[in-house]
């Protein structure tokens, strides 16, 4: 039985990913960054244990992953899903908004992967999936920080995929489009209207429509897919 760890795995797309991977028969742990009540409710509903730490903190990732591995066993599957937005056009963006988004969304991939990849290589099997975004592929007004972080994840995915390809470890990205989550609900309704009008499918994605792509990439049979980006955006960007 494989063991999976999903960052930001108690809410939104992450919660759907945690439950989809559990449904494949794997043991799953989910991290969260502080909403204890929501994490407890998620754990009660799904039976998935949750762990709390800040994925932008390199040392906290090492300690947190050691706790998960002590409880569940070595991590075979890592999903770097945790992410935040802090939107503002460039001239209005303060350095904190730039640094925090880069730290949570991109540094976290380095922090997490560096801890688990050695064990995956040694056991000659592993799956890493990084949850990027359509806005890292196309850019988006008001998201220089988020688009840079998400585009950075795509480069990180390809470089790490090369480093571990011989060791049975695959590294891929999933790039969701606009999905029915709290993050998207925070965008002003008049702006969302113009965005949804540009989605050929004519609606937002549901979190489980993203999660099934992750389940596909972490499957035993997916060993020949590595360094790829799976775009799941309702046709908004055909790349
Ligand atoms: N496109 C084109 N023009 C825009 C615009 C947009 N999205 N947003 C603002 N403008 C215009 C303004 O109307 C203004 O025009 P005028 O000067 O002619 O009045 C001009 O640009 C200057 O805008 P400001 O710098 O003052 O920007 P603002 O403060 O009004 O808005 C913003 C900035 C709140 C970030 C807004 O642009 C916005 O909400 N953008 C969308 C952000 C977005 O899509 N976020 C997605 C979050 S969810 C997510 O990211 C998940 C995922 O992976 C898909």
């Amino acid at each position: 039985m494989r063991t999976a760890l999903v960052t930001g795995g108690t809410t939104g797309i992450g919660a759907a990913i945690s439950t989809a991977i559990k449904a494949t028969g794997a043991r799953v742990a989910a991290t969260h960054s502080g909403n204890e009540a929501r994490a407890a409710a998620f754990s009660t509903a799904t039976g998935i244990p949750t762990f709390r730490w800040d994925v932008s903190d390199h040392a906290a990732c090492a300690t947190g992953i050691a706790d998960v591995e002590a409880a569940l066993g070595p991590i075979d599957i890592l999903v770097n899903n945790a992410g935040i937005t802090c939107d503002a056009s460039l001239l209005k963006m303060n350095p904190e908004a730039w640094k925090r988004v880069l730290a949570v969304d991109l540094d976290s991939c380095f922090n997490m992967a560096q801890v688990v990849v050695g064990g995956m290589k040694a056991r000659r099997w592993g799956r890493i999936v990084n949850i990027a975004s359509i806005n890292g592929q196309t850019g988006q007004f008001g998201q220089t920080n988020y688009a840079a972080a998400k585009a950075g994840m795509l480069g990180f995915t390809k470089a790490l995929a090369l480093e571990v390809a011989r060791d049975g470890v695959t590294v891929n990205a999933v790039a969701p489009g606009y999905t029915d989550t709290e993050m998207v609900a925070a965008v002003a309704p008049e702006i969302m209207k113009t965005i949804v009008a540009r989605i050929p499918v004519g609606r937002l994605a549901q979190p489980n429509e993203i999660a099934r792509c992750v389940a596909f990439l972490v499957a035993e049979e997916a060993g020949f897919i590595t360094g790829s980006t799976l775009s799941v955006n309702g046709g908004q960007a055909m790349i």
Side-chain angles (χ1 to χ4, degrees), residues 85 87-89 92 133-135 140-143 146 176-178 183-184 187 191 195:
T85 55
D87 295 350
S89 50
K92 291 181 179 173
S133 165
I134 186 175
N135 292 346
Q140 169 61 321
F141 195 109
Q143 287 201 309
Y146 186 80
Y178 282 77
M183 183 186 268
V184 167
V187 178
I191 290 185
I195 290 170

Side-chain angles (χ1 to χ4, degrees), residues 10-191:
T10 67
T11 182
I13 291 174
I17 293 170
S18 298
T19 47
I21 295 179
K22 185 172 185 230
T24 70
R27 265 186 297 265
V28 180
T31 80
H32 69 100
S33 62
N35 190 331
E36 294 285 2
R38 183 161 65 186
F42 171 80
S43 203
T44 305
T46 61
I48 293 171
T50 64
F51 295 79
R52 176 182 176 172
W53 75 85
D54 176 355
V55 291
S56 72
D57 180 335
H58 187 257
C61 288
T63 311
I65 290 168
D67 290 345
V68 173
E69 293 198 324
L72 273 77
I75 307 292
D76 304 302
I77 299 166
L78 168 66
V79 183
N80 284 313
N81 165 78
I84 59 167
T85 55
C86 196
D87 295 350
S89 50
L90 185 77
L91 289 176
K92 291 181 179 173
M93 187 177 289
N94 62 51
E96 268 320 300
W98 172 265
K99 285 187 200 145
R100 190 69 193 142
V101 169
L102 268 290
V104 174
D105 297 8
L106 182 58
D107 292 1
S108 58
C109 295
F110 168 78
N111 296 342
M112 295 292 296
Q114 200 178 40
V115 181
V116 300
V117 87
M120 289 178 178
K121 282 177 68 166
R123 294 186 300 279
R124 305 204 61 76
W125 198 94
R127 298 280 184 266
I128 298 176
V129 179
N130 300 314
I131 307 302
S133 165
I134 186 175
N135 292 346
Q137 299 171 297
T138 64
Q140 169 61 321
F141 195 109
Q143 287 201 309
T144 50
N145 51 2
Y146 186 80
K150 295 295 179 177
M153 288 172 77
L154 301 183
F156 175 86
T157 297
K158 293 174 198 174
L160 184 56
L162 287 173
E163 292 186 15
V164 296
R166 296 267 166 161
D167 304 300
V169 181
T170 69
V171 188
N172 291 288
V174 170
Y178 282 77
T179 305
D180 187 9
T181 61
E182 282 176 22
M183 183 186 268
V184 167
V187 178
E190 63 277 12
I191 290 185

